[in-house]
Amino acid sequence: MKHWIEAARVRTLPLSVSGILVGSFYALSKPTENVLTPTQVFSWKIFGLLMLTTIGLQVLSNFANDYGDGVKGTDNDDRIGPKRALQSGVISPAAMKRAIVITAFLTFLSAVSLIYTAFGLEYLYYSIFFLLLGIIAIASAIRYTVGKSAYGYKGYGDIFVFVFFGLVSTYGSYFMFSKVIDWYLLLPAVAIGFLSVGVLNLNNMRDEVSDKKAGKNTIVVKIGGEKAKQYHYFLLITAMILLLVFGILQQFAIDQYIYLIVFLPITSHLLRVSRTQNPADLDPELKRLAISTFMVSLLLSLCLIYFISDIIV
């Protein structure tokens, strides 16, 4: 059990639900044209299924990544960071492959339950669209490193993370509650997407040498470490600007800007990355950035429902 928990990479789970928190609590913070109060938009059952499905997708992605990089030999002695399950031999390729199939099946069941709870038969077209989106998400999580045409080896991993853990996670979760489009939410959706891509980019900067040897052509391998740093600055600085603009457009009260306090550790992280010359020194920054992304999302979510606290109580 210990080895399976390690293979699931529990520390990545808070990052994966960041968009769910913001999208869901945004739904809780405001009514729509069809209902009178925010609490009529929000559903704890939908929220729970959103969390369960997203965590399942993240665990599936982690298992598939462990398996794909393991059988390809990408996870080897040149790699910086903790040893993976297949790399260390504590889990066999056959056992990991079974785990991927089981996790994919359970995640699909969770997604179907979520879609039916959110839309039912009343919104059939939405149900079909999100079902297809769920299938694509599951397939993409597996194909990131698994197979000869794994897109993570061609530098497309950043797109997957941005779309599914940024746009779909944040905007999709809100739509499941409200059934309406709200363009303001694109700002935090893109911001969380950029921060999530920043974590992946940091991981790829750390593993640049070993990835290059193994033929894993991430964006970092393609553009080089120095340009990857500039790309990293762009992702995080843009994300902070978008989150600030979102608060301004939402006309937050002064104490609702408390989520901006997380900009301090993010800025400190950027300074450390700029001074780092040894890729091994980037490993601790992965955890710091992941936690910062989760914390800014959590605080923003709480700030969103600040003005309806009397309804919640």
Side-chain angles (χ1 to χ4, degrees):
M1 182 59 67
K2 173 186 175 182
H3 298 314
W4 284 109
I5 291 175
E6 291 174 349
R9 306 180 199 175
V10 177
R11 69 177 186 176
T12 66
L13 301 186
L15 175 67
S16 69
V17 300
S18 296
I20 299 297
L21 290 175
V22 175
S24 299
F25 279 62
Y26 189 68
L28 180 57
S29 73
K30 61 194 330 180
T32 69
E33 296 177 358
N34 302 321
V35 296
L36 299 177
T37 65
T39 50
Q40 289 179 288
V41 178
F42 186 82
S43 163
W44 285 107
K45 186 176 182 180
I46 294 176
F47 178 72
L49 287 169
L50 276 165
M51 295 287 282
L52 184 63
T53 303
T54 302
I55 289 173
L57 185 63
Q58 180 64 57
V59 171
L60 174 63
S61 179
N62 291 340
F63 282 167
N65 183 256
D66 198 310
Y67 177 81
D69 283 346
V71 297
K72 287 181 171 67
T74 306
D75 288 340
N76 51 49
D77 293 337
D78 293 329
R79 182 181 173 276
I80 301 169
K83 286 185 178 295
R84 300 307 183 198
L86 262 68
Q87 178 188 6
S88 58
V90 296
I91 296 176
S92 69
M96 185 62 78
K97 197 171 184 178
R98 285 195 297 271
I100 291 171
V101 173
I102 293 171
T103 307
F105 178 70
L106 293 176
T107 302
F108 178 74
L109 289 182
S110 177
V112 171
S113 298
L114 168 63
I115 293 166
Y116 181 77
T117 302
F119 302 118
L121 298 178
E122 182 181 357
Y123 299 95
L124 184 59
Y125 290 120
Y126 294 161
S127 295
I128 294 173
F129 173 76
F130 274 88
L131 180 61
L132 292 174
L133 195 62
I135 293 172
I136 293 172
I138 291 172
S140 298
I142 296 173
R143 298 296 293 178
Y144 175 57
T145 58
V146 176
K148 294 181 180 179
S149 58
Y151 64 89
Y153 280 69
K154 299 179 181 179
Y156 300 131
D158 297 49
I159 297 175
F160 166 76
V161 170
F162 175 72
V163 171
F164 287 101
F165 290 99
L167 299 183
V168 174
S169 179
T170 310
Y171 212 91
S173 60
Y174 170 74
F175 189 83
M176 283 190 158
F177 291 109
S178 66
K179 319 298 188 295
V180 298
I181 300 295
D182 190 319
W183 297 110
Y184 287 117
L185 192 61
L186 278 178
L187 294 173
V190 171
I192 293 172
F194 278 177
L195 289 169
S196 300
V197 173
V199 175
L200 176 62
N201 184 61
L202 195 63
N203 180 83
N204 292 338
M205 282 196 289
R206 181 198 65 185
D207 297 339
E208 180 185 2
V209 175
S210 59
D211 284 347
K212 190 172 184 178
K213 288 182 179 179
K216 188 176 183 180
N217 295 314
T218 62
I219 286 181
V220 176
V221 171
K222 289 182 176 181
I223 66 178
E226 285 305 312
K227 288 186 177 180
K229 282 187 177 182
Q230 296 175 20
Y231 173 50
H232 198 68
Y233 306 150
F234 165 77
L235 290 171
L236 272 57
I237 292 173
T238 304
M240 289 189 286
I241 293 173
L242 291 175
L243 290 172
L244 173 60
V245 172
F246 177 71
I248 295 172
L249 294 178
Q250 291 297 304
Q251 299 180 335
F252 277 0
I254 188 65
D255 52 352
Q256 287 180 281
Y257 285 102
I258 192 173
Y259 67 94
L260 299 183
I261 197 172
V262 187
F263 286 10
L264 294 176
I266 293 177
T267 302
S268 177
H269 158 78
L270 286 172
L271 292 174
R272 283 191 293 269
V273 170
S274 68
R275 294 192 294 264
T276 298
Q277 299 299 322
N278 182 6
D281 295 335
L282 294 174
D283 191 56
E285 295 303 315
L286 277 166
K287 184 177 181 180
R288 293 190 183 106
L289 182 56
I291 291 176
S292 296
T293 301
F294 173 71
M295 288 306 301
V296 76
S297 301
L298 178 61
L299 288 176
L300 175 59
S301 300
L302 294 176
C303 290
L304 284 169
I305 62 173
Y306 170 82
F307 59 92
I308 61 161
S309 57
D310 57 328
I311 295 178
I312 298 174
V313 172

